[in-house]
Amino acid sequence: MRRLSGASFLLYILIPLLGPSNGADTWTLDHPLADDGQPLISERGSFALGFFSPSGSDSRYIGIWYHKISVQTVVWVANRQRPVTGSHGSLSVAANGTLIITGENSTVVWSSPPLALSDPVAQLLDDGNFVVTEADANASDPNSFAWQSFDYPTDTLLPGMKLGWNLTTGFNRPLTSWASAIDPAPGEYTFGIDLRGDPQVFEWSGTRQVWRGGPWNGVRFAGIPPMVSYNKISVQFFVDATQVVYVFHTIDASIVSRLVMNHSGTAQRLLWVDDSKFWNLIWYFPMDPCDTIFPCGPNAVCDTSRSPLCGCPQGFQPKNPTNWELRDGSDGCVRKTEVDCRNGTDGFVLVSGAKLPDTSSSTVEWVGTTLDQCKAKCLKNCSCTAYAQANISGSGSGCILWSTNLTDLRVYGSGGQDLYVRTAAADVGMYSSVSLSLDRWLREARSRRQLGAEAC
Ligand SMILES: *[C@@H]1O[C@H](CO)[C@@H](O)[C@H](O)[C@H]1NC(C)=O
Ligand SMILES: *[C@@H]1O[C@H](CO)[C@@H](O)[C@H](O)[C@H]1NC(C)=O
Ligand SMILES: *[C@@H]1O[C@H](CO)[C@@H](O)[C@H](O)[C@H]1NC(C)=O
Ligand SMILES: *[C@@H]1O[C@H](CO)[C@@H](O)[C@H](O)[C@H]1NC(C)=O
Ligand SMILES: *[C@@H]1O[C@H](CO)[C@@H](O)[C@H](O)[C@H]1NC(C)=O
Ligand SMILES: *[C@@H]1O[C@H](CO)[C@@H](O)[C@H](O)[C@H]1NC(C)=O
Ligand SMILES: *[C@@H]1O[C@H](CO)[C@@H](O)[C@H](O)[C@H]1NC(C)=O
Ligand SMILES: *[C@@H]1O[C@H](CO)[C@@H](O)[C@H](O)[C@H]1NC(C)=O
Ligand SMILES: *[C@@H]1O[C@H](CO)[C@@H](O)[C@H](O)[C@H]1NC(C)=O
């Protein structure tokens, strides 16, 4: 490796091998990465880093894209907010390791947080992570990264990237959509993890919740049933004292997959089909009318297989019957009979196939609680409104307890789980339709008329 001093920087951008025949496994640039130069290519050629313009734009950005994929697919952008115009752009590594992008007249348009390294090297790794380390560090060891692009995601999550929180530092890594197809500036939509209660995945528009991916249930996020339909991707969700993060890996290197928060507000899981040269959409969210946040109001159940969408669980009735009959379910449902804790007679009704309601103020225990113990806990505490198994993996374990009205509850044809809703004794076991709908009202009105007719 050669060391080269510039006027004010020591520069090394380390370019790993372009091909095995090159003989050496690394070499260095003796000048910054200029806009007219070659991009950096990762060791096994998976990713490239360099200047690009989104199609339809003249603005220049430093980005990372798949090197082997013919449809240029940008997965990371450095200077999202301040593009460079013309071909004056340049990326360099300062003597202390800080990355700097300059534009016309050497104006700094972007820099990484300041680093204090003595002998820095920047390297594009084959997983798409652009890292800065000390030259003598082990670049395979994540602890050696003084800075990494994986900590500053744009709109794309790649295998091995962590979405979510470092709790020690309070540092969060959400995805943020591009502003538009031609503008990688931070757009309207973010996708990330809300730490409150039992942590959940959310999509936000600004501070407004757009879609709730829900809590992790040991197998998938409660609101993303198709997550498990493709078994070539393994998913991990870590919740401990140091972090709350979501990470995925492909089980074999030939599979190229990414998760994107697209600029029109849809989270997409995509898979590259090399033979046909296109990105295949595995799933996307929000997907249907029940995915919109709270379409049916508190304690109501949204079900796309029914018309109307909104229903009340057994023991509940529409809070505002007039609007409910006009198919406005937003007021939700209220209990027919108040629960009576002192009596000790309350029971539970099962909502099966459920997307668990919002867990942002629920309590969760992951280990050592059976479903029966969970039920007993809920029954014992007067403010408990519902319970469910926290971890549905294997024979199931753990316990989630709600103490609020149940919001954003829906059911799925498949891929949901059991939710037990506290109900007064008077309403348990009693027959009750899930939905007091206009259709049913009409049906009932008709049968009343028929009965009336018969009586005549
Ligand atoms: C660069 O410097 C030239 C000459 O001083 C000036 O005309 C031009 O506006 C400058 N450009 C920027 C982007 O500052
Ligand atoms: C590292 O160098 C950059 C560019 O010279 C400078 O802006 C930054 O303050 C330096 N960082 C530290 C920690 O000294
Ligand atoms: C570099 O780090 C990786 C991952 O921590 C480890 O597996 C490997 O043995 C290390 N290599 C050296 C030479 O220390
Ligand atoms: C959190 O960030 C600190 C400081 O960068 C780092 O030392 C620590 O390893 C991180 N924790 C996790 C769990 O990544
Ligand atoms: C975002 O994803 C949705 C669902 O796949 C798609 O219909 C829409 O066209 C996408 N938007 C953009 C800008 O790609
Ligand atoms: C009952 O549940 C509420 C809300 O989860 C909690 O704050 C309270 O401590 C619980 N009470 C008992 C006695 O466990
Ligand atoms: C969920 O249960 C499975 C065993 O069935 C266990 O391997 C896994 O670690 C549990 N997940 C959590 C988050 O506790
Ligand atoms: C549920 O919502 C009703 C209003 O619809 C409110 O009066 C009640 O306090 C709420 N209950 C809980 C447990 O939050
Ligand atoms: C209290 O318990 C009795 C039976 O012991 C039952 O009939 C009554 O409905 C209960 N009260 C409520 C409010 O559930």
Side-chain angles (χ1 to χ4, degrees):
M1 196 187 300
R2 285 175 296 145
R3 297 182 173 201
L4 295 136
S5 328
S8 58
F9 319 124
L10 254 180
L11 298 169
Y12 313 69
I13 288 182
L14 206 134
I15 305 191
L17 253 192
L18 297 171
S21 58
N22 288 25
D25 70 346
T26 56
W27 55 288
T28 54
L29 282 183
D30 57 3
H31 55 79
L33 183 76
D35 195 354
D36 50 9
Q38 292 294 310
L40 303 187
I41 310 296
S42 66
E43 188 173 5
R44 289 189 298 281
S46 299
F47 288 92
L49 178 146
F51 281 95
F52 78 99
S53 293
S55 74
S57 163
D58 292 332
S59 297
R60 305 294 287 165
Y61 300 89
I62 281 284
I64 296 173
W65 58 90
Y66 295 94
H67 183 54
K68 291 176 177 166
I69 286 177
S70 49
V71 179
Q72 191 184 56
T73 307
V74 173
V75 298
W76 184 76
V77 183
N79 52 322
R80 295 184 79 168
Q81 275 161 301
R82 287 189 65 187
V84 176
T85 49
S87 55
H88 308 282
S90 157
L91 168 66
S92 51
V93 187
N96 60 23
T98 307
L99 296 170
I100 294 166
I101 300 174
T102 54
E104 199 178 354
N105 302 342
S106 300
T107 318
V108 174
V109 298
W110 177 89
S111 64
S112 63
L115 301 177
L117 302 185
S118 54
D119 191 10
V121 167
Q123 186 173 355
L124 178 62
L125 303 180
D126 208 55
D127 57 5
N129 196 4
F130 185 43
V131 303
V132 179
T133 62
E134 292 285 8
D136 58 2
N138 175 357
S140 312
D141 177 6
N143 292 321
S144 72
F145 302 159
W147 178 90
Q148 55 176 327
S149 61
F150 272 17
D151 273 343
Y152 301 89
T154 55
D155 65 344
T156 303
L157 195 73
L158 295 173
M161 271 175 92
K162 289 178 171 181
L163 180 86
W165 296 81
N166 178 327
L167 297 179
T168 315
T169 55
F171 185 75
N172 187 18
R173 288 154 294 202
L175 303 181
T176 311
S177 67
W178 284 26
S180 73
I182 60 164
D183 184 0
E188 183 180 346
Y189 301 100
T190 52
F191 181 81
I193 294 173
D194 181 345
L195 294 174
R196 294 172 303 153
D198 189 10
Q200 302 181 92
V201 165
F202 271 101
E203 178 190 334
W204 293 272
S205 162
T207 55
R208 182 176 62 86
Q209 296 172 346
V210 171
W211 169 69
R212 189 176 63 92
W216 179 250
N217 65 16
V219 177
R220 56 176 178 259
F221 291 106
I224 318 184
M227 258 179 101
V228 291
S229 66
Y230 183 70
N231 64 8
K232 300 270 173 20
I233 293 172
S234 73
V235 171
Q236 290 164 298
F237 190 67
F238 297 101
V239 181
D240 59 38
T242 64
Q243 61 181 348
V244 178
V245 296
Y246 162 70
V247 182
F248 78 91
H249 290 95
T250 53
I251 61 159
D252 112 36
S254 69
I255 294 162
V256 179
S257 181
R258 64 195 168 104
L259 184 67
V260 180
M261 180 70 254
N262 86 13
H263 67 81
S264 45
T266 306
Q268 297 171 301
R269 158 71 67 196
L270 298 144
L271 206 54
W272 177 250
V273 186
D274 200 48
D275 280 350
S276 324
K277 306 273 180 263
F278 84 111
W279 286 103
N280 201 4
L281 188 62
I282 303 295
W283 52 252
Y284 65 92
F285 281 96
M287 192 172 60
D288 62 35
C290 289
D291 278 334
T292 321
I293 288 285
F294 307 165
C296 297
N299 304 317
V301 183
C302 193
D303 183 353
T304 54
S305 73
R306 304 180 67 104
S307 175
L309 294 171
C310 301
C312 292
Q314 181 179 324
F316 290 76
Q317 60 197 7
K319 184 178 181 190
N320 184 335
T322 310
N323 290 357
W324 190 269
E325 294 304 344
L326 296 170
R327 307 242 166 147
D328 172 6
S330 60
D331 288 310
C333 307
V334 291
R335 294 183 183 285
K336 291 179 175 164
T337 314
E338 272 314 304
V339 290
D340 174 31
C341 306
R342 289 156 298 146
N343 208 335
T345 55
D346 292 342
F348 294 91
V349 296
L350 170 64
V351 177
S352 55
K355 169 185 176 179
L356 298 182
D358 192 352
T359 54
S360 53
S361 45
S362 52
T363 53
V364 61
E365 281 166 35
W366 278 96
V367 284
T369 316
T370 65
L371 199 56
D372 281 342
Q373 289 166 334
C374 191
K375 177 181 183 174
K377 275 187 185 192
C378 188
L379 204 52
K380 216 165 55 191
N381 189 332
C382 206
S383 53
C384 180
T385 51
Y387 71 93
Q389 202 131 58
N391 185 355
I392 63 166
S393 170
S395 53
S397 57
C399 179
I400 309 182
L401 299 172
W402 283 262
S403 59
T404 53
N405 285 308
L406 305 174
T407 51
D408 198 25
L409 169 59
R410 66 170 296 177
V411 289
Y412 298 112
S414 65
Q417 70 186 87
D418 291 345
L419 173 76
Y420 299 87
V421 179
R422 187 183 201 133
T423 318
D427 295 329
V428 180
M430 183 199 80
Y431 170 76
S432 171
S433 167
V434 161
S435 166
L436 181 65
S437 63
L438 183 58
D439 311 62
R440 169 147 171 249
W441 183 83
L442 286 171
R443 232 177 9 252
E444 286 178 354
R446 241 179 271 124
S447 64
R448 272 195 298 275
R449 268 202 307 279
Q450 271 164 17
L451 283 173
E454 273 161 24
C456 287

